Amino acid sequence: QVQLVESGGGLVQAGGSLSLSCAASGSIFAITDMVWYRQAPGKQRELVAAITSGGSTNYADSVKGRFTISRDNAKNMVYLHMNSLKPEDTAVYYCRAECFTILAPVPRPYWGQGTQVTVSS
């Protein structure tokens, strides 16, 4: 079993900053990609930022230059540092990790439960 737990969400004013964390735990042998998604009310879930095990990153155009994804492979954690937040960044933020487990020979996706980020104007 693998568990992902996000933390760090909250309420912030426009222009402010917030940092999210996601911790993966359980029978993990290795983690490949770690990804942050978000879902606003009435909208589809969208990819925000992704990072490979080697540190290569990818961002949605809407957050480039404002958000930074990073990870700590030793701790099985991924972070999302968000600057210059806008009201349109308001959403539930989810992390996903592609994990090799002791029982599975191929990586499988695991999701966290989400953390709310609200940006007031």
Side-chain angles (χ1 to χ4, degrees):
Q1 279 283 29
V2 175
Q3 298 82 38
L4 269 65
V5 179
E6 300 100 335
S7 60
L11 174 64
V12 64
Q13 288 189 332
S17 300
L18 208 58
S19 291
L20 306 181
S21 300
C22 176
S25 62
S27 303
I28 298 171
F29 180 72
I31 301 177
T32 57
D33 295 345
M34 302 188 84
V35 189
W36 285 99
Y37 289 80
R38 67 186 180 188
Q39 187 167 19
K43 295 188 177 181
Q44 289 188 334
R45 191 171 297 189
E46 63 175 356
L47 186 147
V48 176
I51 186 167
T52 67
S53 57
S56 296
T57 58
N58 184 43
Y59 295 92
D61 288 342
S62 59
V63 307
K64 281 180 181 177
R66 300 189 297 122
F67 290 11
T68 302
I69 188 171
S70 61
R71 64 189 284 174
D72 185 329
N73 291 333
K75 297 181 179 179
N76 288 339
M77 293 195 68
V78 63
Y79 308 95
L80 187 67
H81 304 287
M82 304 181 291
N83 295 320
S84 302
L85 282 161
K86 305 175 182 179
E88 50 263 44
D89 294 318
T90 295
V92 178
Y93 284 69
Y94 300 88
C95 69
R96 189 195 86 197
E98 298 285 328
C99 300
F100 285 94
T101 63
I102 295 173
L103 299 178
V106 296
R108 295 179 180 177
Y110 295 88
W111 290 85
Q113 82 289 349
T115 185
Q116 177 70 47
V117 171
T118 302
V119 184
S120 63
S121 56

